[in-house]
Amino acid sequence: MRIVHGAELAPLTTLGIGGPAASLVELRDLADLPDVVTYARQEMDRHGPPVALGHGSNVLVHDAGCSAPVLRMTNRGIRWSGARDEDRVQVEVQAGHPLADLVAATVAEGLTGMEMLTGIPGTVGAAPVQNVGAYGQEVSDTLVEVRAWDWRLNRHVTLPAAQCELGHRTSVFKRSRRRLLLSLVFSLRRSARSAPVRYRQVTDALGVPPGSRVPLAEAARAVLAVRRAKGMVLGSSLHDERSVGSVFLSPAIPPSRVGELRAAGAPVNRFPDGSTRVSASRLIRDAGFGLGSPVVRGVQISALHPTLVAGDGATAADFARAVDIVRRRVLDRTGVLLSPEIDYLGDWESPSRIRRLPRRGRGPAPAVGES
Ligand SMILES: Cc1cc2nc3c(=O)[nH]c(=O)nc-3n(C[C@H](O)[C@H](O)[C@H](O)COP(=O)(O)OP(=O)(O)OC[C@H]3O[C@@H](n4cnc5c(N)ncnc54)[C@H](O)[C@@H]3O)c2cc1C
């Protein structure tokens, strides 16, 4: 086990922002877990459980960095189990394995369940934390169980998916440091064809009617093309690459507003948890944030998609301020309070720097939104 004191965290995140970790430990092999636990427990009285880090694609690290130990998960590996000719195949995956590689492997194996998750950056271990999802699929569709280290119980635990409280971009792990996810088991169904393609942009790209099931690789290719056009695939654009994807959750809307929002052309979708949500990016656009427009020094709206991205000289304080400005203006202009999807990592005053904002001026009441 190697401990690096004062390691810079910014290069380990996709925003490229934030200060150093008081100590950074890499967990490349689960055989090293006992040493990591011994070290982390020495620090727990002062700092609480260590902070897990995957590829840093959903975090905003404080400018002062992180005084709790940071555990970077780089353990990789995929183990298929069960007979390959059976209808369902189980796969056990190490937490530090790149999600994109797992998705590609399932498509290559002729397994449906993850093909729409293509292009989402990050590690497999972080995927249940916010129940990652896109274009109609979520981790909750395929997750069987997670194996974790529980810092409170000080032992290994196995949580069946039903106990993970997987909801819309949330779970029992979100904003909780209690458990370090070590490995995960998924179950996928053998099929040459994808799940029904329901999202308009993807069916348009494929030239098929909504609900069509197309060859797995074609579905994945179409999703990737749609994502690339929005700058939602890292490494595919020359600019606006310092991103965390969607900064905000898509807010839930009551049934009474679905018709009105659809009539106004807003993308409104039903999610597996039963909620109906409007896209946060649409609300950001409706609040008057044009593509490519600056929000604060060093932080702007992407030129490709209405989301915040970092530029030269941006600090975590700048980014957090930009988040507040967007929330406030969206609330004032649309009556919807956006909630951040990203995690605030490090020495922020509270787990999330964002609090419910007071209403300003004469804007409409916050009729819908997360709470
Ligand atoms: C361009 C872009 C597009 C994106 N598109 C999508 C999308 O379509 N859908 C979507 O849902 N998300 C999307 N995201 C967000 C992000 O990719 C996911 O949230 C991803 O799961 C984060 O993985 P990570 O390894 O980078 O986690 P990190 O950012 O390193 O960590 C995220 C959180 O998970 C915790 N964590 C990480 N690993 C573990 C572990 N092993 N055990 C316990 N806790 C852990 C961290 O402490 C932190 O709180 C996108 C991001 C970008 C930059």
Side-chain angles (χ1 to χ4, degrees), residues 55 97-104 114 117 120-124 127 132 139 186:
H55 291 170
H97 204 87
L99 178 65
D101 290 1
L102 172 63
V103 172
M114 292 188 172
L117 305 185
I120 301 181
T123 53
V124 172
V132 299
V139 154
F186 299 91

Side-chain angles (χ1 to χ4, degrees), residues 334-350:
T334 71
V336 178
L337 178 62
L338 293 177
S339 296
E341 177 184 306
I342 53 171
D343 288 339
Y344 289 73
L345 194 150
D347 298 343
W348 296 93
E349 271 171 31
S350 58

Side-chain angles (χ1 to χ4, degrees), residues 12-15 50-60 71-73 75 94-99 116-135 137-139 147-149 151 169 173-184 227 230-235 240-246 307 341-345:
L12 305 181
T13 71
T14 54
L15 277 179
V51 172
L53 184 67
H55 291 170
S57 64
N58 208 35
V59 293
L60 178 61
L71 288 187
R72 187 159 179 244
M73 303 301 288
N75 55 323
Q94 300 287 300
H97 204 87
L99 178 65
M116 311 293 181
L117 305 185
T118 188
I120 301 181
T123 53
V124 172
V129 172
Q130 69 159 16
N131 185 24
V132 299
Y135 301 103
Q137 279 179 344
E138 296 183 337
V139 154
R147 296 162 191 172
W149 180 263
W151 296 106
R169 305 296 163 266
F173 313 113
K174 184 85 178 168
R175 305 210 167 106
S176 161
R177 289 199 246 151
R178 175 172 170 182
R179 301 174 188 91
L180 175 69
L181 275 61
L182 302 170
S183 66
L184 303 89
R227 293 183 66 98
K230 298 183 189 175
M232 284 288 169
V233 180
L234 293 178
D240 293 350
E241 282 276 304
R242 290 176 60 189
S243 159
V244 271
S246 303
T307 190
E341 177 184 306
I342 53 171
D343 288 339
Y344 289 73
L345 194 150

Side-chain angles (χ1 to χ4, degrees), residues 213-232:
R213 293 161 52 103
V214 300
L216 280 175
E218 270 182 39
R221 256 198 309 276
V223 167
L224 213 51
V226 170
R227 293 183 66 98
R228 278 207 182 101
K230 298 183 189 175
M232 284 288 169

Side-chain angles (χ1 to χ4, degrees), residues 272-325:
D273 67 351
S275 59
T276 304
R277 291 168 185 273
V278 62
S279 126
S281 55
R282 172 62 183 236
L283 298 173
I284 293 170
R285 200 195 80 176
D286 288 353
F289 291 100
L291 293 180
S293 61
V295 179
V296 298
R297 183 187 64 100
V299 184
Q300 65 265 0
I301 302 292
S302 162
L304 300 169
H305 187 61
T307 190
L308 290 168
V309 291
D312 288 346
T315 64
D318 295 331
F319 201 88
R321 202 149 51 85
V323 168
D324 276 357
I325 289 169

